[in-house]
């Protein structure tokens, strides 16, 4: 019986030794490393929770900003749309115009804005069917609609009326006179009729030494009133000096 027990113990010991060999060498620092990794895992879990909370706050902020932007855009678009229809009627007597929201060209893009203008006695509504002067009038109508809906301190207009004839320039000048109390218009122009409506004229000319010189002239209140009376009575053009580059405000 003793020999049988001894043999059984030897077999058990041999199995344990083989298992220990399969395990490989034992790391005496395993417990400390495990504790360190546990702390690191806890720190990373806390960081992840912070990031998730921050992400949720950002999503809420994005939703809030999107709602506010949509509301502001809707209010501004409605105001510009109303003023644009009015301005088209002023610049195109008997004509009609409107702004429309259309689907974006790209997937996921926001809505776009389409412009439809129908001058009197014309069938077309698309801008491609209008002449250069008519398209310039549409641009002026849109700009003046923005002036009335969301005015800015000043506007810089570069040759905006270059494609207009005398009749339409007179309408454009009348608009400038009507709304110059609300904002300032800085114009770069070569049109004499537009210069006549300016309070201050600036021009660039060549001096006797061949260098460019800036000249300016301020219109007095009496001259401005006289010009407005003459414009209202259909007065003729005034002579103006030729300059290389002219600007008017």
């Amino acid at each position: 019986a003793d020999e049988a027990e001894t043999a059984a113990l030897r077999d058990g010991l041999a199995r344990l030794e083989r298992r220990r060999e399969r395990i490989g060498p034992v790391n005496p620092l395993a417990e400390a490393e495990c504790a360190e990794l546990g702390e690191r895992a806890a720190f990373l879990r806390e960081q992840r929770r912070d990031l998730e909370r921050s992400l949720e706050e950002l999503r809420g902020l994005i939703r809030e900003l999107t709602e506010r932007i949509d509301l502001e855009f809707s209010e501004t678009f409605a105001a510009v749309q109303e003023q644009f229809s009015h301005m088209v009627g002023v610049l195109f007597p008997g004509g009609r115009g409107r702004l429309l929201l259309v689907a974006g060209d790209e997937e996921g893009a926001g809505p776009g804005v389409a412009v439809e203008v129908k001058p009197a006695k014309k069938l077309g509504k698309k801008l491609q069917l209008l002449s250069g002067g008519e398209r310039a009038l549409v641009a002026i109508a849109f700009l003046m609609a923005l002036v009335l809906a969301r005015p800015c301190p000043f506007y810089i207009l570069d040759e905006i009326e270059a494609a207009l004839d005398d009749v339409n320039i007179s309408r454009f000048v009348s608009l400038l006179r009507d709304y110059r109390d609300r904002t300032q218009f800085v114009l770069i122009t070569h049109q004499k009729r537009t210069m006549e409506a300016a309070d201050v004229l600036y021009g660039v000319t060549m001096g006797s030494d061949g260098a460019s010189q800036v000249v300016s002239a301020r219109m007095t209140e009496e001259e401005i009133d006289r010009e407005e009376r003459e414009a209202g009575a259909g007065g003729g053009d005034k002579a103006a000096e030729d300059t290389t580059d002219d600007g008017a405000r």
Side-chain angles (χ1 to χ4, degrees):
D2 293 338
E3 291 179 358
E5 281 184 29
T6 302
L9 291 173
R10 287 196 185 98
D11 292 340
L13 180 60
R15 286 196 302 272
L16 292 174
E17 287 179 350
R18 287 194 297 271
R19 290 178 60 185
R20 182 178 63 80
E21 290 175 355
R22 286 196 298 269
I23 291 174
V26 176
N27 182 7
L29 302 177
E31 184 177 0
E33 292 177 356
C34 181
E36 182 180 354
L37 291 175
E39 293 177 359
R40 177 66 176 169
F43 172 76
L44 292 176
R45 283 193 293 269
E46 182 64 25
Q47 293 294 308
R48 178 176 178 177
R49 284 192 292 269
D50 290 343
L51 289 174
E52 289 174 348
R53 286 193 296 269
S54 299
L55 182 60
E56 187 60 31
E57 291 176 0
L58 286 175
R59 287 172 177 167
L61 181 61
I62 291 173
R63 287 192 296 269
E64 181 181 350
L65 289 175
T66 301
E67 292 173 358
R68 184 169 181 178
I69 290 172
D70 291 343
L71 178 61
E72 290 286 340
F73 176 79
S74 299
E75 293 176 352
T76 303
F77 181 78
V80 174
Q81 187 179 41
E82 179 181 358
Q83 296 297 339
F84 179 76
S85 298
H86 169 68
M87 284 298 162
V88 169
V90 172
L91 295 174
F92 294 89
R96 298 191 305 272
R98 61 175 180 169
L99 302 177
L100 301 173
L101 289 178
V102 296
D105 296 335
E106 300 179 359
E107 185 177 356
V113 177
V115 179
E116 285 188 358
V117 175
K118 184 181 182 299
K121 301 179 181 180
K122 285 193 176 183
L123 299 177
K125 292 183 179 181
K126 295 184 178 181
L127 295 182
Q128 293 87 340
L129 301 179
L130 301 180
S131 65
E134 289 172 334
R135 286 197 293 267
L137 285 177
V138 173
I140 293 172
F142 184 74
L143 173 63
M144 298 306 298
L146 292 176
V147 170
L148 297 178
R150 290 292 188 270
C152 293
F154 65 91
Y155 293 86
I156 299 177
L157 311 178
D158 186 1
E159 301 280 358
I160 192 172
E161 84 292 31
L164 303 183
D165 56 19
D166 289 344
V167 174
N168 288 317
I169 289 178
S170 298
R171 292 173 183 160
F172 170 66
V173 169
S174 297
L175 287 179
L176 296 182
R177 289 195 176 106
D178 291 340
Y179 299 110
R180 66 184 178 186
D181 293 336
R182 302 190 184 188
T183 186
Q184 295 185 78
F185 297 99
V186 180
L187 291 94
I188 301 171
T189 181
H190 288 85
Q191 298 288 351
K192 295 180 181 180
R193 287 180 177 269
T194 306
M195 296 181 202
E196 291 171 1
D199 298 331
V200 182
L201 292 174
Y202 296 94
V204 179
T205 186
M206 181 180 294
S208 58
D209 58 354
S212 297
Q213 295 180 354
V214 177
V215 295
S216 63
R218 180 179 294 275
M219 303 289 287
T220 64
E221 292 295 331
E222 292 77 8
E223 290 174 325
I224 294 174
D225 292 340
R226 186 178 69 252
E227 293 294 340
E228 291 179 350
R229 289 195 300 270
E230 290 178 356
D237 296 346
K238 290 174 56 179
E241 290 187 7
D242 292 332
T243 56
T244 305
D245 228 345
D246 296 290
R249 183 185 62 169

